[in-house]
Amino acid sequence: MTSLRDRLQQAQQNHQAIGHFNISDLVALKAVFAAARELKVPVIVGLSEGEREFVGTRQIAAFVRGLREEYDFPVFLNADHTHSLAKGLEVAKAGFDSIVFDLSALPFEENVRQTKQAVEALKAINLSMLVEGEIGDIGSGSEIHETAPDLSKGLSTPEQAKQFVDGTGVDILAPAVGNMHGMLKSMVEGETKKHLHIDRIAGIKQATGAFLTLHGGSGTGDDDFRKAIAAGINIVHINTELRVAWRHGMEQALAQHPDEVVPYKILPPAVDEVKRAAASRLMLFNEKWHVAQGS
Ligand SMILES: [Zn+2]
C-alpha cells in the first residue's frame, strides 16, 4: 500500500487533487469510502477535534485501517484542525496519516515557533505522519453562516508562506487564498460561489514548493477549483457540503420510513445522498485535464 506522501506526489504530477472529507459517523464514512472506491481515486477522511471526540480517536484509526487493509484501497486518515500538542500526540500514537496542526490564530512569529516544536515532537513519535501548518485567516466553523466574515486582511503572501514552511519544516501548507470555512445560505442554495485568488496560489506554490491544501472548499465554483488545482493545490477539504447532504439524506430517509425502527434499513438513502455529494467533488478534483489549463 502506498503512503499519503506518494499519493500526493502522484496527484501533483497529474495536476489532480486528493479530496478530503470530514465525517462524524458511519453514514458519512461509508458514503465517502464508497464514492472513492467507485471512482477508483485516493481519498482522505478527516476528523476535527470535535469530530474525534464524538467518534473516538483510536476507534476511527482502527476502522479506517480496516477498510484500507480489507479492500487494499488508498483511504487515508487526517486529524483536522488540531490546536494543541497534547491532541496531536494522541493522533500520532493512534497512527493517523496526517495532521492539520492549526495555530493560525496566534501571531505569525509565535505560530512559526510553536508549529516547529510540534513538527519535531510529532515526527519523533510517528515519522511517517505528514504535518500540515496553517497561516492566515479563513474563518472558523464548517456550518451555515448568516454573514460573510471579512477575511481580506488575513490573505497569505508568498513571502510569508516561504518563511513559514522554511521556519517550521511542515510537509503541507494551508494558505488563506479567498477560501473560507463554512457556507453562506446563498451558497447552499447555489446562488453565490466563493472565489479564489489563483495568482496568489501560484505564487505561494512557486515560493514554497510545498504540498498545498485548500480548506473551506464547500461552495466554491467548479472552474475556481480547476484553476486552483492547476496552480498547485494538492488537497481540497469539503465539509459543509457533506454535512448539508447528510442532514438532507437523514430527513428523507426518516420520512420514507415513518414506522421503521431498524437503523440499517432506514439509513441507506442517507448514505447515498452523502455519497453523491462526495462523488461529484471527487470527479472534479481528479479530472485529468487540469494540466491543459496551465496557470
Ligand atoms: Zn479547515
Side-chain angles (χ1 to χ4, degrees):
M1 177 56 62
T2 53
S3 66
L4 179 56
R5 186 186 292 280
D6 292 341
R7 290 289 174 165
L8 281 168
Q9 255 145 14
Q10 213 168 21
Q12 177 142 292
Q13 278 161 12
N14 296 341
H15 298 265
Q16 295 167 322
I18 300 182
H20 172 293
F21 302 95
N22 290 72
I23 65 113
S24 305
D25 74 349
L26 198 51
V27 166
L29 178 60
K30 281 172 74 78
V32 168
F33 186 64
R37 266 192 89 206
E38 206 166 282
L39 294 167
K40 299 187 174 67
V41 295
V43 73
I44 305 171
V45 170
L47 291 89
S48 64
E49 286 184 3
E51 287 159 341
R52 296 202 296 277
E53 203 163 309
F54 183 71
V55 178
T57 298
R58 288 173 57 195
Q59 289 71 27
I60 190 64
F63 210 109
V64 170
R65 194 179 309 122
L67 289 173
R68 192 188 325 198
E69 287 171 5
E70 179 167 353
Y71 296 93
D72 191 24
F73 192 85
V75 53
F76 300 101
L77 183 59
N78 175 52
D80 206 8
H81 297 287
T82 302
H83 302 286
S84 71
L85 185 54
K87 295 276 180 199
L89 295 174
E90 266 176 33
V91 303
K93 287 175 190 156
F96 279 48
D97 298 290
S98 59
I99 180 172
V100 172
F101 196 72
D102 181 3
L103 299 183
S104 59
L106 294 179
F108 182 75
E109 300 297 335
E110 200 52 30
N111 184 6
V112 172
R113 197 179 68 79
Q114 291 191 33
T115 301
K116 178 180 196 289
Q117 286 176 348
V119 170
E120 286 163 6
L122 294 167
K123 298 268 182 186
I125 289 185
N126 182 345
L127 189 59
S128 63
M129 184 171 76
L130 302 183
V131 182
E132 175 179 320
E134 318 280 298
I135 53 170
D137 183 9
I138 53 172
S140 64
S142 295
E143 54 207 343
I144 315 297
H145 302 300
E146 288 294 326
T147 52
D150 178 14
L151 303 173
S152 56
K153 289 191 189 73
L155 288 171
S156 309
T157 64
E159 296 73 28
Q160 192 187 41
K162 181 170 171 45
Q163 199 185 333
F164 184 82
V165 171
D166 290 351
T168 59
V170 293
D171 304 289
I172 308 169
L173 175 70
V177 288
N179 47 331
M180 176 192 101
H181 282 127
M183 294 171 84
L184 302 176
K185 273 198 184 118
S186 57
M187 292 170 178
V188 177
E189 282 145 20
E191 289 157 10
T192 61
K193 302 274 182 206
K194 293 175 190 170
H195 288 290
L196 304 173
H197 298 262
I198 304 301
D199 291 346
R200 209 175 267 264
I201 295 170
I204 290 170
K205 189 69 170 191
Q206 202 171 15
T208 64
F211 292 127
L212 298 181
T213 295
L214 184 76
H215 281 252
S218 295
T220 305
D222 288 2
D223 216 44
D224 272 39
F225 272 137
R226 291 187 180 105
K227 289 177 184 159
I229 293 165
I233 291 291
N234 306 105
I235 300 171
V236 182
H237 280 222
I238 300 285
N239 189 352
T240 313
E241 283 180 7
L242 255 65
R243 288 177 166 180
V244 170
W246 179 91
R247 180 168 184 113
H248 192 224
M250 292 296 252
E251 284 171 351
Q252 275 188 335
L254 289 167
Q256 279 167 22
H257 306 279
D259 302 316
E260 185 60 75
V261 295
V262 181
Y264 63 76
K265 292 183 182 169
I266 300 172
L267 294 172
V271 174
D272 287 344
E273 183 88 11
V274 179
K275 184 183 159 192
R276 265 196 297 279
S280 74
R281 287 322 200 176
L282 282 172
M283 271 189 268
L284 180 69
F285 302 156
N286 288 279
E287 278 175 0
K288 294 259 183 201
W289 54 270
H290 292 127
V291 64
Q293 298 267 303
S295 79

